[in-house]
Amino acid sequence: MLELTWLIPALPLAGFVVLLVAGRRLGEPLAGWLATAAVGGSFVATAVVFLGLVAEPAAERRFGQVLFEWVPAGGFSVDLGFLVDPLSVAMCLFVTFCATLIHLYAIGYMHGDPNFTKFFVYLNLFVFSMLMLVLGDNMLVTFLGWEGVGACSYFLISFWHTSDANASAGKKAFVTNRVGDWGYMVAMFLTFTALGSIRYVDIADGAAGLTATTATAVALLLLVGAAGKSAQIPLFVWLPDAMAGPTPVSALIHAATMVTSGVYLFTRMNGVVAAAHPWVSTVIAVIGVATALVAASIAVAQNDIKKVLAYSTISQLGYMFLAIGSGAYVAAIFHMITHAFFKALLFLGAGSVIHGMADEQDMRRMGALRKLMPVTAVTYIVGWLAIAGVPPFSGFWSKDEILLFAWEKSPVLWFVGLVTALLTAFYMSRQVFLTFFGEARWDEPLEDAVPELAVERGLLPYEGENEIDDDIEQVYELDHLPHGVGPKEAIHPHESPWLMTLPLVVLAVMAAVSEIIQLPVTNTTKYLEHWLYPVVEQGEHHLTASTATKWGLAVVAIVAGAVGILGAASIYLKRRLDEQPAAPEVLRNGWYYDSGLAAFMGGPGRAAFEAVAWFDRTIIDGAVNGVATVVRVASGGLQRTQTGFVRAYAGIVTAGAVLVVFVLILRGVVL
Amino acid sequence: MIVGAVSAHLYLSLSALLFGLGAIGVMVRRNPLVMFMSIELMLNAVNLTFVTFARELDDLAGQVVVLFVLVVAAAEVVVGLGIIVSVLRQRPGATADDASLLRG
Amino acid sequence: MVESFVFAVAAVVIVAGAVGVLVNRNPVHAALSLVATLFGVAVLFVALEANFLAAVQVIVYAGAIVVLFLFVIMLLGVDQSEDLDVEPLIGQRPAAIAIGVVLIIGLTGVVLTSSLTGAPAAHEWVRDGAEVAQIGRLLFTDYVFALEITSLLLLVAVVGAVTLARTIRGETVDLDEPVPVLPGDPVDLIDEDVE
């Protein structure tokens, strides 16, 4: 059964090729169904491979399948091969599962889009790349998938590329990811230099023999790569902007799968992290927890329903990095899986809301939607409870396990993680209350959004102008209305078609019950840990905490979650407290990180780049041009010997022969 | 060496002379056909040397090599004359000096 | 003594023929001088006990190659005299003669000052009259790879000659008129500006 591995990425690839060639002819919705079937088939193939792997004894669950030798270059040889082990199969299972549901959802969500088939072309290519990333048996195949998912992410963020904002959001994601890719590539080169191989099997075997310095360098470079792909400090800026893409893309790429590849990479290379200096894992944990806290605090003040989820995703990825830094690889994968379910659910739910609200994304214009969109509301609430850490939903268990490991690493990390958990519960509750509870606010545009927009579009000279009423008419005549303004006529929210609600229901069930794969009740119910242990044994930290500590920490986490929820309820549901202090300007602007970065890059950064450019022009180009000049002058002299006359050439050849003869005579060789 | 036979030195000197004359011919004559003939002279000089050494060293391999030289010469003449035919068809009466496209 | 006499006569013929190739203005005469040289070499081959090669020399060289030369000369009508009094390349002729003479002196010097230290000449192949058989055996054993390569070489030469000499498709060629040149045509070898 393991021989079917090649089918897992081959099916989405086949779907991609077919849609690329014949997609337009298939049209809507057949193209979408074909793409869904391809990914669904891939899920079935993964399930078969999974069963085959389960049948093997635990120690022998490592199966390689080499398709062909990809890069034969002397002593350096790379196969295009797949590595099937507990980790890659676990990844493939949830990736193909979520992808199938999201494909199904997208058939409904993308209904009527002029580029319907193109969307599924990209989506299938993405799934193929993601599976290559996960299944590759060496770093180069993973890199192929790594770049593939990056390219698809870029295509899909700028899917509605006629708007400048969407196009530049795609560019931002692409450029930021490049920085990370640099780290990955150099890490790959360094690994090859140190170990003579980039196969994961060899790396796992040889990692222990690495010097601490080499392992540290590789781990830090991997951290750069993972931070770019998984949106960690300082490279997280692209993910909020990536919400410009269609919502299924946000759910699939920017919540469930691609952004977790950094976590996967570290889990795969856990031996290297274990061999590095101990402070490396601390760096990873600190970056993770700092990202988690910063992103959660920004999410508190966002008004765009998808922006909240985007920052929430960054925050949850920060948790996974905290887990890696604490040596909790199993917990990281556990959280990755539960997060994939509940965050995909939340994104799809948000998409359903946006769909029902006629593309309105501003939560200030929503409210009371639970009556009009019952299925979306109920499933969304399940996702909310899961991410807010309410037992017995899945998020509680995975987050709790990470916090437990963080406690063992350092109580400070645990405390910051706890504050983040509180913030998470707060902002998610705020979102749910604003969207599904309270009063209906979709009838009228926001007071401040219209003048802001009018100023932005040059219709009003400055903010605060009195004569606004006439200009609102002009604003509404614009083709594309930004969020918060909405169409002039009242919105009629409605429940989404079954194609969209079915995936919501399935994901809600998974978000509620997926903790059964790793219940910390008894040792035997930790299925995921037993399953993954052969892969992560080099880096996995072993808990020493007593049962009482575990219970204590869990209770504290529950209390923190409850505080967050109650706080949000008192502000946004009961309206007992003023909401203004809870969403200060600095947080709404994301700590000014983005604008600060832009200001720095536009000012001193630009000057530095100008200096580099000058250096490149004068010194580097000068050296190159200097060599060229020397060659040109010298060849100008030599050119005169090239008369073009055959007889002159013959004379030169013969003179050369004479010289050879006399040299031989003088040296006595022939005499 | 067989008694009474002409010394190999004489054969080799003759072949050196023939080779030099051929070389001069290539350098002096402008008619491409005559230049080719001069090359044939040089090839013959080499053949003569091979055969002389084949006798002196009692090794038939020298003669075998001459056979190969003959084949190569034939092939060379065929291609060379083909080129000359092409050139002269374009410009009747062209000399080797007229084909100087390779001038730097 | 007989060999000395034969050598002297053949050497005179060879050198005279070679000089004839060099100095004859008319290419037809030069070709005929070449025949003289080739015959002289064939005679020396006999004197050197290479009877088979002598026959090949006469048949292939004098019989085929020189005929090919003459054929091309007649075909293209280029049998007009070459003006040997004019040398367009300044210094080419004295330099060529000087280089040639130095080459001859050098090579002769090498030959005359060296001594041959080979196996005593037994020449069994002549005594047995099995010279051709032995050459054939060598060709198909020790030199079989080179032999196969030469077959390939001849094939390439044939294809090359056909390609070079082919006419433009669908047109008959008037040999008195220059063929119109097409861009990229392989016969476009000559720079029109050169005179």
Side-chain angles (χ1 to χ4, degrees):
Chain A
M1 291 196 276
L2 294 173
E3 286 71 29
L4 287 178
T5 305
W6 64 275
L7 263 180
I8 300 174
L11 283 170
L13 181 66
F16 162 70
V17 171
V18 170
L19 287 178
L20 192 68
V21 174
R24 286 211 173 276
R25 214 164 298 154
L26 288 172
E28 184 191 348
L30 202 55
W33 284 109
L34 184 77
T36 311
V39 180
S42 179
F43 173 68
V44 173
T46 312
V48 171
V49 171
F50 169 70
L51 291 177
L53 207 60
V54 170
E56 302 278 329
E60 291 166 26
R61 284 177 187 154
R62 187 193 256 184
F63 172 73
Q65 185 173 44
V66 174
L67 296 187
F68 55 86
E69 191 177 20
W70 183 18
V71 184
F76 175 71
S77 158
V78 178
D79 294 331
L80 190 78
F82 301 129
L83 175 64
V84 181
D85 68 353
L87 178 60
S88 57
V89 166
M91 294 287 297
C92 283
L93 270 177
F94 89 82
V95 166
T96 50
F97 181 77
C98 288
T100 309
L101 290 176
I102 291 168
H103 271 71
L104 195 64
Y105 176 94
I107 298 175
Y109 189 85
M110 298 303 287
H111 172 71
D113 194 283
N115 289 318
F116 183 85
T117 54
K118 197 167 91 177
F119 183 76
F120 284 97
V121 169
Y122 290 151
L123 225 48
N124 261 3
L125 180 63
F126 168 79
V127 173
F128 163 73
S129 306
M130 188 68 208
L131 292 170
M132 292 300 282
L133 191 162
V134 172
L135 278 174
D137 83 334
N138 59 63
M139 292 181 80
L140 197 63
V141 176
T142 296
F143 189 63
L144 176 79
W146 186 272
E147 290 295 307
V149 292
C152 291
S153 161
Y154 164 71
F155 293 144
L156 287 166
I157 291 170
S158 350
F159 185 72
W160 291 313
H161 52 78
T162 43
S163 155
D164 275 353
N166 295 352
S168 50
K171 270 184 279 184
K172 190 172 179 180
F174 197 76
V175 170
T176 317
N177 269 303
R178 278 292 97 208
V179 180
D181 295 346
W182 169 83
Y184 186 99
M185 277 195 281
V186 180
M188 183 159 61
F189 302 153
L190 202 56
T191 309
F192 179 72
T193 316
L195 290 175
S197 169
I198 53 171
R199 296 186 63 216
Y200 290 129
V201 177
D202 299 334
I203 294 171
D205 294 343
L210 284 175
T211 64
T213 314
T214 313
T216 303
V218 173
L220 288 178
L221 287 164
L222 286 177
L223 181 60
V224 175
K229 199 55 107 191
S230 295
Q232 296 296 296
I233 285 176
L235 297 176
F236 70 86
V237 286
W238 64 271
L239 191 55
D241 286 23
M243 294 304 123
T247 307
V249 171
S250 311
L252 178 61
I253 301 184
H254 305 119
T257 55
M258 183 188 88
V259 288
T260 61
S261 48
V263 181
Y264 164 77
L265 186 66
F266 268 116
T267 312
R268 183 55 87 198
M269 307 280 277
N270 65 83
V272 176
V273 181
H277 290 299
W279 55 265
V280 172
S281 58
T282 311
V283 168
I284 298 172
V286 167
I287 284 185
V289 80
T291 309
L293 181 65
V294 168
S297 69
I298 297 173
V300 164
Q302 296 299 312
N303 288 322
D304 187 318
I305 188 169
K306 284 180 73 179
K307 280 274 167 70
V308 174
L309 293 176
Y311 281 109
S312 165
T313 303
I314 298 175
S315 175
Q316 299 297 313
L317 290 166
Y319 268 121
M320 296 176 210
F321 275 72
L322 170 64
I324 288 167
S326 311
Y329 292 97
V330 174
I333 299 293
F334 182 33
H335 194 57
M336 184 198 285
I337 293 170
T338 59
H339 173 257
F341 291 136
F342 65 66
K343 189 51 69 62
L345 166 64
L346 289 172
F347 263 115
L348 295 186
S352 177
V353 169
I354 295 166
H355 191 74
M357 291 285 292
D359 289 344
E360 178 57 65
Q361 296 191 7
D362 199 309
M363 292 189 300
R364 289 172 295 180
R365 291 199 68 205
M366 298 172 182
L369 284 173
R370 72 178 186 284
K371 285 165 193 154
L372 293 163
M373 309 176 79
V375 181
T376 306
V378 169
T379 53
Y380 206 93
I381 286 168
V382 172
W384 159 52
L385 295 174
I387 191 174
V390 175
F393 295 97
S394 60
F396 165 75
W397 303 98
S398 54
K399 191 184 289 185
D400 197 48
E401 189 162 342
I402 291 176
L403 288 176
L404 185 59
F405 277 89
W407 171 267
E408 297 234 322
K409 178 90 177 168
S410 156
V412 178
L413 291 174
W414 170 81
F415 181 72
V416 180
L418 188 71
V419 173
T420 307
L422 192 154
L423 285 173
T424 308
F426 179 80
Y427 68 71
M428 283 312 299
S429 308
R430 169 178 177 265
Q431 183 177 45
V432 170
F433 296 150
L434 280 178
T435 310
F436 294 103
F437 293 88
E439 315 150 6
R441 295 183 298 276
W442 59 76
D443 288 331
E444 52 203 80
L446 289 169
E447 286 157 23
D448 55 342
V450 174
E452 270 174 26
L453 178 72
V455 171
E456 191 181 305
R457 300 283 165 99
L459 295 172
L460 279 179
Y462 53 87
E463 237 171 301
E465 179 86 17
N466 291 326
E467 312 275 327
I468 254 178
D469 291 342
D470 298 339
D471 294 312
I472 290 176
E473 301 299 318
Q474 288 188 42
V475 171
Y476 279 132
E477 281 162 22
L478 296 169
D479 290 339
H480 183 74
L481 288 166
H483 308 304
V485 179
K488 189 182 179 186
E489 61 274 12
I491 300 169
H492 301 290
H494 55 87
E495 181 58 279
S496 303
W498 70 269
L499 268 176
M500 292 166 68
T501 50
L502 176 68
L504 290 178
V505 173
V506 176
L507 283 170
V509 172
M510 295 306 290
V513 304
S514 59
E515 70 273 12
I516 54 166
I517 60 173
Q518 173 80 345
L519 275 178
V521 185
T522 65
N523 202 28
T524 45
T525 52
K526 294 182 174 179
Y527 301 111
L528 189 69
E529 186 172 321
H530 297 308
W531 175 249
L532 287 179
Y533 192 72
V535 184
V536 298
E537 59 181 334
Q538 283 173 303
E540 185 75 3
H541 173 77
H542 294 281
L543 283 176
T544 52
S546 65
T547 316
T549 317
K550 290 177 186 172
W551 275 103
L553 293 175
V555 168
V556 172
I558 294 172
V559 170
V563 168
I565 294 173
L566 291 177
S570 62
I571 295 176
Y572 295 100
L573 198 60
K574 309 286 183 198
R575 300 279 168 188
R576 272 193 222 122
L577 297 168
D578 187 15
E579 66 179 275
Q580 211 55 33
E585 194 68 17
V586 61
L587 294 184
R588 192 170 306 154
N589 289 307
W591 294 103
Y592 297 108
Y593 183 82
D594 215 357
S595 50
L597 198 64
F600 175 78
M601 284 304 175
R606 190 178 177 83
F609 293 139
E610 293 289 350
V612 173
W614 175 86
F615 181 80
D616 184 62
R617 261 198 316 275
T618 22
I619 311 296
I620 309 283
D621 287 5
V624 175
N625 292 340
V627 171
T629 310
V630 168
V631 171
R632 194 167 57 235
V633 170
S635 59
L638 283 174
Q639 195 182 20
R640 295 195 196 141
T641 62
Q642 295 294 315
T643 56
F645 296 116
V646 182
R647 299 187 297 138
Y649 296 158
I652 294 167
V653 171
T654 321
V658 170
L659 268 181
V660 170
V661 168
F662 276 87
V663 166
L664 290 179
I665 289 174
L666 289 178
R667 292 185 57 191
V669 173
V670 285
L671 296 181
Chain B
M1 214 179 281
I2 295 172
V3 180
V6 178
S7 155
H9 291 127
L10 278 176
Y11 284 100
L12 295 178
S13 303
L14 177 66
S15 116
L17 179 63
L18 191 56
F19 188 85
L21 287 173
I24 293 172
V26 174
M27 288 184 281
V28 169
R29 294 301 296 259
R30 270 170 293 166
N31 188 322
L33 284 164
V34 181
M35 289 170 74
F36 244 97
M37 294 177 203
S38 303
I39 292 174
E40 298 303 325
L41 289 181
M42 295 163 77
L43 284 171
N44 266 281
V46 173
N47 281 352
L48 188 56
T49 312
F50 269 119
V51 174
T52 309
F53 278 112
R55 186 185 72 165
E56 290 306 309
L57 302 180
D58 192 17
D59 188 351
L60 213 50
Q63 295 196 17
V64 174
V65 172
V66 170
L67 263 183
F68 287 126
V69 173
L70 277 173
V71 175
V72 173
E76 173 226 341
V77 164
V78 167
V79 177
L81 287 181
I83 294 172
I84 289 169
V85 167
S86 307
V87 173
L88 291 184
R89 208 188 267 162
Q90 292 286 315
R91 295 172 58 112
T95 67
D97 292 354
D98 292 339
S100 60
L101 268 179
L102 280 178
R103 178 169 48 203
Chain C
M1 281 305 109
V2 178
E3 196 191 344
S4 301
F5 178 70
V6 169
F7 177 82
V9 172
V12 168
V13 171
I14 287 170
V15 174
V19 172
V21 172
L22 258 66
V23 299
N24 264 316
R25 294 169 182 223
N26 191 320
V28 178
H29 297 169
L32 294 175
S33 304
L34 180 64
V35 173
T37 302
L38 298 179
F39 267 113
V41 173
V43 168
L44 287 191
F45 280 178
V46 175
L48 288 169
E49 299 166 8
N51 301 320
F52 173 66
L53 281 186
V56 173
Q57 171 88 357
V58 171
I59 295 167
V60 174
Y61 256 118
I65 293 182
V66 174
V67 169
L68 200 58
F69 271 113
L70 286 172
F71 186 74
V72 170
I73 292 167
M74 301 302 182
L75 180 76
L76 293 173
V78 289
D79 49 346
Q80 68 268 45
S81 303
E82 179 185 342
D83 189 358
L84 284 178
D85 297 334
V86 181
E87 175 53 62
L89 301 185
I90 298 158
Q92 171 77 12
R93 187 172 297 173
I97 291 172
I99 292 171
V101 170
V102 173
L103 183 65
I104 292 168
I105 291 171
L107 289 176
T108 318
V110 171
V111 167
L112 291 181
T113 52
S114 58
S115 58
L116 291 167
T117 53
H123 307 303
E124 284 159 8
W125 66 77
V126 181
R127 261 200 304 282
D128 298 349
E131 180 191 3
V132 178
Q134 292 223 27
I135 290 179
R137 198 166 292 124
L138 273 177
L139 273 180
F140 287 98
T141 52
D142 292 359
Y143 295 90
V144 68
F145 187 66
L147 188 76
E148 295 303 327
I149 295 290
T150 42
S151 70
L152 193 67
L153 178 75
L154 285 175
L155 180 69
V156 172
V158 169
V159 174
V162 170
T163 312
L164 284 167
R166 100 197 133 100
T167 56
I168 292 147
R169 194 174 299 129
E171 284 183 22
T172 54
V173 177
D174 183 359
L175 287 178
D176 295 333
E177 289 294 321
V179 177
V181 182
L182 295 179
D185 198 88
V187 297
D188 184 19
L189 283 173
I190 295 171
D191 190 346
E192 291 298 327
D193 298 335
V194 173
E195 274 307 324

